[in-house]
Amino acid sequence: MKIKVYRDLMGANDLWANKTRALLARKKVKMLNLIGSPGAGKTALLEQTVKELSHKFRVGRDSLSRRGRTGLCGPASLKFPDIKLAVLEGDLETRNDAERLARLHCRVSQLLTGGGCHLEAKMVHYAVRDLPLGKLDLVVVENVGNLVCPAEFDIGEHAKAVVLSVTEGEDKPLKYPLIFREAKAIVISKIDLLPHVPFDLKKCLSFIRKINPHAPVFQVSALTGRGMNAWTDWLALLGAPG
Amino acid sequence: MKIKVYRDLMGANDLWANKTRALLARKKVKMLNLIGSPGAGKTALLEQTVKELSHKFRVGRDSLSRRGRTGLCGPASLKFPDIKLAVLEGDLETRNDAERLARLHCRVSQLLTGGGCHLEAKMVHYAVRDLPLGKLDLVVVENVGNLVCPAEFDIGEHAKAVVLSVTEGEDKPLKYPLIFREAKAIVISKIDLLPHVPFDLKKCLSFIRKINPHAPVFQVSALTGRGMNAWTDWLALLGAPG
């Protein structure tokens, strides 16, 4: 006799996440889950990332000429293999963030949770399935602005990265330890504001190391471009085949 | 025959919230639910609020002499009735925020969710019940740093207030509309950083008005004290008897 099994919300979420992971593995595409508070500068970081990649690597003339509608970010690489990037923008409401990236001719989709506090694996799965995966190396998912809930939900990613802006205070790694523990990369953003805010960088780094001894920490300013080089190198390595 | 009723999580939460509201009504104490992103400056705002109230009103010698352990914030008022304040600090982890307020001789308790993304009404109820309500006028609950989930859970408060820092970007009212719609007061914090960040204040105010046409908007800097006067007046009126 067949037994009916009812799975809880988290169980169902994990099923979809595993489906996405299997799909990405078949297509040899990597996925990053980018997490941070509202206003931590996740979209600004991605804007600058797209620009930096264009500078760093040779820009694919073809993708630019298609003016973003079908164009893929991530030009042919000199140092790394050609990394082609798409972005999934998670928000409760508005398409503002997706529009910012589309202006840079980046392949981007907007995922609206309609009030939900995190991206669920099922929605991400449908969005990933609709991407031209054969032409991509890396999908970056910008999760909903929230340091708590997105850390708890697998969306099928290969790595999580957390963005912490210097305006938020140096104690956040201790106060929100889960995401800092899970992150494979930690970005300290808005470092151009360091002279104007009471942020103790040394303390922050020591708090991060208490929670996560090994993940690389990138100190960046998306406004000035400072520190972006090491971050885009890390991203390119994540997206590299193999 | 008696019918067993099982309530869902939200239903149970509302029961506890209503219990708290009834208790506060009996004791003639008001409660504010303060909500904002991690690092929006909620604790700094409360620190400055406690200091401002001490400046504004006559400091109760008695409460200061007890050195915070049993001392109550909120000195005898000149303009308003004597507003006595206690704070409940919500966090996932650490007692950092409660310690910051205790240093100012403020009656404060720390509520740790242990990873939970919002304060639940039951935990708040027990914390409220343990306060010397007969000696208080106003309880300010600093919710967990999160613009999404805390907006959805009633904790028995009389009003919600939202804190948005200028470093988070002017589009947040549109991207997180629920809390901006529900708020009875909106605080734009860290205005001392306006010269250093790409924040369009005029746009932000118009976005706020789209979502919430009537709530007062306070532009404050906890660092310089600018704008604190109007905010503490509003708080004092909220806490005033009647």
Side-chain angles (χ1 to χ4, degrees):
Chain A
M1 223 178 100
K2 220 178 156 185
I3 296 169
K4 271 192 185 177
V5 177
Y6 294 90
R7 285 174 201 281
D8 64 7
L9 185 69
M10 292 291 257
N13 189 79
D14 287 351
L15 278 183
W16 285 103
N18 288 335
K19 259 181 137 161
T20 302
R21 218 177 332 263
L23 171 63
L24 292 170
R26 274 202 309 281
K27 299 287 186 173
K28 297 189 170 50
V29 177
K30 301 285 170 48
M31 192 159 88
L32 179 75
N33 187 357
L34 192 67
I35 294 173
S37 302
K42 298 180 292 302
T43 313
L45 179 73
L46 288 179
E47 283 177 307
Q48 194 60 23
T49 299
V50 169
K51 285 182 202 164
E52 286 280 320
L53 285 172
S54 310
H55 272 275
K56 200 175 217 161
F57 310 124
R58 182 163 43 80
V59 180
R61 187 198 307 263
D62 173 53
S63 66
L64 273 182
S65 69
R66 280 187 246 147
R67 310 216 53 153
R69 274 171 323 171
T70 57
L72 306 170
C73 304
S77 165
L78 298 174
K79 193 165 155 195
F80 299 104
D82 184 7
I83 301 300
K84 291 185 218 80
L85 174 76
V87 174
L88 302 179
E89 274 294 340
D91 279 293
L92 283 79
E93 303 271 352
T94 84
R95 306 169 184 212
N96 296 359
D97 291 355
E99 282 165 6
R100 284 167 63 182
L101 285 159
R103 262 176 237 134
L104 302 171
H105 313 298
C106 180
R107 158 75 63 175
V108 59
S109 308
Q110 180 76 55
L111 277 57
L112 295 178
T113 67
C117 55
H118 63 275
L119 286 176
E120 279 175 22
K122 186 175 177 180
M123 186 192 259
V124 173
H125 182 79
Y126 281 101
V128 168
R129 224 181 46 177
D130 284 348
L131 289 171
L133 292 174
K135 297 179 187 174
L136 291 174
D137 300 298
L138 181 64
V139 177
V140 177
V141 184
E142 184 186 327
N143 217 310
V144 168
N146 184 338
L147 264 188
V148 191
C149 316
E152 295 169 17
F153 288 81
D154 184 9
I155 54 171
E157 74 272 358
H158 297 87
K160 288 183 178 75
V162 62
V163 183
L164 169 70
S165 69
V166 300
T167 61
E168 292 172 56
E170 65 275 338
D171 62 349
K172 295 302 168 287
L174 300 181
K175 292 174 80 178
Y176 302 84
L178 179 62
I179 180 55
F180 284 90
R181 192 176 301 125
E182 296 250 317
K184 293 279 184 295
I186 295 163
V187 178
I188 301 181
S189 63
K190 306 192 190 182
I191 55 164
D192 53 289
L193 291 176
L194 276 174
H196 311 294
V197 292
F199 182 87
D200 189 328
L201 186 59
K202 221 170 139 184
K203 256 193 190 168
C204 184
L205 293 171
S206 85
F207 292 155
I208 287 172
R209 281 297 168 244
K210 263 191 193 174
I211 305 286
N212 187 330
H214 301 301
V217 178
F218 302 103
Q219 300 174 32
V220 310
S221 165
L223 213 64
T224 67
R226 206 175 131 199
M228 288 295 301
N229 202 30
W231 159 249
T232 50
D233 273 4
W234 183 85
L235 259 192
L237 271 175
L238 177 70
Chain B
M1 225 177 96
K2 221 177 153 185
I3 296 168
K4 272 194 186 176
V5 177
Y6 295 89
R7 284 175 202 280
D8 65 6
L9 183 70
M10 292 292 258
N13 189 78
D14 288 350
L15 278 182
W16 285 103
N18 288 334
K19 261 181 134 160
T20 302
R21 220 180 328 265
L23 171 64
L24 292 170
R26 275 201 309 281
K27 300 287 186 174
K28 298 188 170 51
V29 177
K30 300 285 171 49
M31 193 159 91
L32 179 74
N33 187 358
L34 191 66
I35 293 173
S37 302
K42 297 180 293 301
T43 313
L45 179 74
L46 289 179
E47 284 178 305
Q48 193 61 22
T49 298
V50 169
K51 286 182 201 165
E52 286 279 320
L53 284 172
S54 311
H55 272 274
K56 196 175 221 163
F57 310 124
R58 180 164 45 80
V59 180
R61 186 197 308 262
D62 173 55
S63 65
L64 272 181
S65 69
R66 281 187 244 150
R67 310 216 52 149
R69 273 171 323 171
T70 56
L72 306 169
C73 304
S77 166
L78 299 174
K79 193 165 155 197
F80 299 105
D82 184 7
I83 301 301
K84 291 185 217 79
L85 174 77
V87 175
L88 303 179
E89 274 294 340
D91 279 294
L92 283 79
E93 304 271 353
T94 84
R95 305 166 187 216
N96 296 359
D97 290 355
E99 282 164 6
R100 284 167 63 181
L101 285 159
R103 262 175 237 136
L104 302 172
H105 313 298
C106 180
R107 157 76 64 175
V108 59
S109 309
Q110 181 76 57
L111 277 58
L112 294 179
T113 66
C117 55
H118 62 275
L119 286 175
E120 278 174 24
K122 187 176 179 180
M123 185 191 259
V124 174
H125 182 80
Y126 281 100
V128 167
R129 225 180 46 178
D130 285 348
L131 289 172
L133 292 174
K135 297 179 186 174
L136 290 175
D137 300 299
L138 181 65
V139 178
V140 177
V141 184
E142 184 187 327
N143 218 310
V144 168
N146 184 337
L147 264 189
V148 190
C149 315
E152 294 170 18
F153 288 82
D154 184 9
I155 54 171
E157 75 271 358
H158 297 87
K160 289 183 177 78
V162 63
V163 183
L164 169 70
S165 68
V166 299
T167 61
E168 292 171 56
E170 66 276 336
D171 61 349
K172 294 302 169 284
L174 300 182
K175 291 175 80 178
Y176 302 86
L178 179 62
I179 180 55
F180 284 89
R181 192 176 301 127
E182 296 251 316
K184 293 279 184 295
I186 294 163
V187 178
I188 300 180
S189 64
K190 307 193 189 181
I191 55 164
D192 54 288
L193 290 176
L194 276 174
H196 310 294
V197 291
F199 182 87
D200 189 328
L201 185 59
K202 220 170 140 186
K203 255 192 192 170
C204 183
L205 293 170
S206 85
F207 291 155
I208 288 173
R209 282 296 168 246
K210 262 191 193 175
I211 305 286
N212 187 329
H214 302 302
V217 178
F218 302 104
Q219 300 173 32
V220 310
S221 165
L223 211 67
T224 67
R226 205 175 134 199
M228 288 296 300
N229 203 29
W231 160 249
T232 52
D233 275 4
W234 183 83
L235 259 192
L237 270 175
L238 177 70

